[in-house]
Amino acid sequence: MNRFEYVRPNTVVEAVAAALAPGAAFLAGGTNLLDLMKSGVARPARVVDLTRVPDLDRIEQLPDGGMRIGALVRNSDLAYDTSFASNYPAVSEALLSGASAQLRNAATTSGNLLQRTRCPYFYDIASACNKREPGAGCDAIGRETRAHAVLGRSAHCIATHPSDLCVALVALDAVVEVHGRSGRRDVALEALYRQPGDAPERETVLEPGELVVAVRLPSAAAGFAGHSRYLKVRDRTSYAFAVVSAVAGLRIEDNRIVEGRLALGGVASKPWRARAAEELLSGQEPGEDLFQLVADAALAGAKSTGGSVFKIELARRVVRRSLRLATAGTPKLPPALPASVFTMTPGSSFHG
Ligand code: SF4
């Protein structure tokens, strides 16, 4: 491991100032950064530990009915927060489908948003990777691509974003609060992420030193609470990243969909909001023919160069099934294995 400077600021302003130094990296739960440092993928010159910055670990109800989640709120605490889980059950289900219980106890909201891809070539420092070393090339293209993107890819990078949480947040119009040297600004979570283009090393629109301090969900997002599900296909039933996932949220009145939300995970360079597909849901009666049309629209333009080709049809099926589950309604007692395609049996491991 390389030598690095360790600093522990006491305020957001101090943290931003500390992170303006060249090669600085924020440390929150450490569940991704420490792995990257140990494997030599990340070599920060300065680690800015945020854990002493006050008030970043709060979950707050906002006066307008929305909720604000501090950057350092642990994934477990958020998933099991009764008020949060009842307003945004699909977000809670997505959180509980991620990683392991131990990791969810340590991992933070902002860390989840800003985690790096799990592309195996990115983690293998003997492989060429444009994201790790701009201009080096991409060893994934033309080789093993099972874990790679079918949407939002470029000729320079085909990596996927690994988060479950962000898929559900993007579908619900989450907004990120960011502090930088010029003060505070809001960024829609969907707009936080860049597509790889010819600069896959730049994954977000964050400027040097900018710190994510919170995520907000609007009150309108709670309108999907009665009909929303997160569904995740993975190689193991727990402790595995999504091969394909989807979140579906519906507002249903008199057996018609007033408004639908749909986003996919595991298939794209960013949490992938399927807006054109969502529009097909408005004003329609839920049913298999409609869900087929929506699934086809969600995957329109999907491409693969090899091992990931199966994900295109798999994603269509996951979309259809997530819409079917959302139509049936959010269960009062959520499944013991959240987001699993194998069991939908109500259980007690959720926020019940
Ligand atoms: Fe690197 Fe992206 Fe290629 Fe993976 S797909 S090796 S992250 S450039």
Side-chain angles (χ1 to χ4, degrees):
M1 188 185 287
N2 280 9
R3 293 179 67 83
F4 59 89
E5 184 188 5
Y6 174 79
V7 295
R8 198 156 56 178
N10 291 304
T11 66
V12 167
V13 171
E14 284 178 21
V16 169
L20 285 168
F26 289 120
L27 173 68
T31 56
N32 190 205
L33 180 64
L34 297 188
D35 280 350
L36 291 165
M37 290 171 69
K38 284 189 274 189
S39 58
V41 175
R43 297 165 186 264
R46 172 184 283 184
V47 171
V48 181
D49 183 346
L50 298 170
T51 52
R52 284 273 174 92
V53 178
D55 300 331
L56 295 184
D57 59 352
R58 290 196 191 160
I59 303 170
E60 299 168 84
Q61 191 85 48
L62 298 172
D64 67 359
M67 291 191 84
R68 182 177 185 273
I69 306 134
L72 294 189
V73 172
R74 306 286 166 172
N75 289 180
S76 299
D77 291 337
L78 184 60
Y80 290 115
D81 184 274
T82 309
S83 178
F84 182 83
S86 61
N87 283 331
Y88 312 112
V91 183
S92 197
E93 188 168 19
L95 275 165
L96 291 175
S97 75
S100 65
Q102 292 89 342
L103 284 166
R104 292 193 295 270
N105 287 342
T108 63
T109 303
S110 59
N112 192 303
L113 265 55
L114 299 176
Q115 65 183 299
R116 310 296 302 275
T117 181
R118 262 57 177 193
C119 170
Y121 301 96
F122 174 72
Y123 280 79
D124 172 13
I125 57 173
S127 295
C129 172
N130 286 322
K131 190 182 282 293
R132 184 169 17 84
E133 192 183 337
C138 170
D139 271 353
I141 295 174
R143 294 192 181 166
E144 177 56 61
T145 60
R146 183 178 181 281
H148 291 89
V150 296
L151 290 163
R153 356 178 323 138
S154 82
H156 303 274
C157 181
I158 56 171
T160 54
H161 192 275
S163 173
D164 297 297
L165 168 65
C166 296
V167 179
L169 289 177
V170 155
L172 295 177
D173 287 338
V175 170
V176 179
E177 288 178 24
V178 175
H179 271 262
R181 63 182 140 185
S182 317
R184 202 200 96 164
R185 67 181 177 125
D186 286 349
V187 183
L189 179 60
E190 191 182 7
L192 179 73
Y193 301 105
R194 298 176 75 254
Q195 291 197 32
D198 60 3
E201 75 280 6
R202 288 206 59 209
E203 294 168 351
T204 70
V205 299
L206 293 176
E207 300 294 335
E210 279 195 314
L211 172 67
V212 170
V213 295
V215 178
R216 292 197 312 273
L217 276 166
S219 58
F224 297 94
H227 293 276
S228 60
R229 294 305 299 269
Y230 184 70
L231 188 63
K232 174 175 175 180
V233 174
R234 51 202 139 168
D235 289 335
R236 292 182 299 263
T237 306
S238 68
Y239 196 28
F241 293 100
V243 177
V244 172
S245 70
V247 64
L250 303 172
R251 282 202 298 120
I252 300 179
E253 291 175 12
D254 300 327
N255 198 35
R256 286 208 176 265
I257 299 167
V258 178
E259 187 182 2
R261 298 288 176 84
L262 183 66
L264 290 98
V267 293
S269 50
K270 56 188 277 187
W272 195 259
R273 178 91 176 256
R275 287 184 181 273
E278 285 177 1
E279 284 173 19
L280 298 174
L281 291 162
S282 298
Q284 303 299 317
E285 277 186 29
E288 288 304 316
D289 290 348
L290 174 65
F291 297 163
Q292 180 70 59
L293 279 177
V294 171
D296 289 346
L299 274 299
K303 281 191 200 137
S304 167
T305 48
S308 62
V309 70
F310 75 99
K311 290 172 109 171
I312 299 173
E313 178 55 24
L314 180 60
R316 286 194 193 102
R317 293 177 186 214
V318 171
V319 166
R320 292 206 304 269
R321 188 158 169 186
S322 67
L323 287 164
R324 213 177 294 140
L325 289 167
T327 301
T330 309
K332 287 206 169 23
L333 261 186
L337 292 171
S340 169
V341 294
F342 296 113
T343 177
M344 288 291 154
T345 310
S348 58
S349 70
F350 210 61
H351 53 86

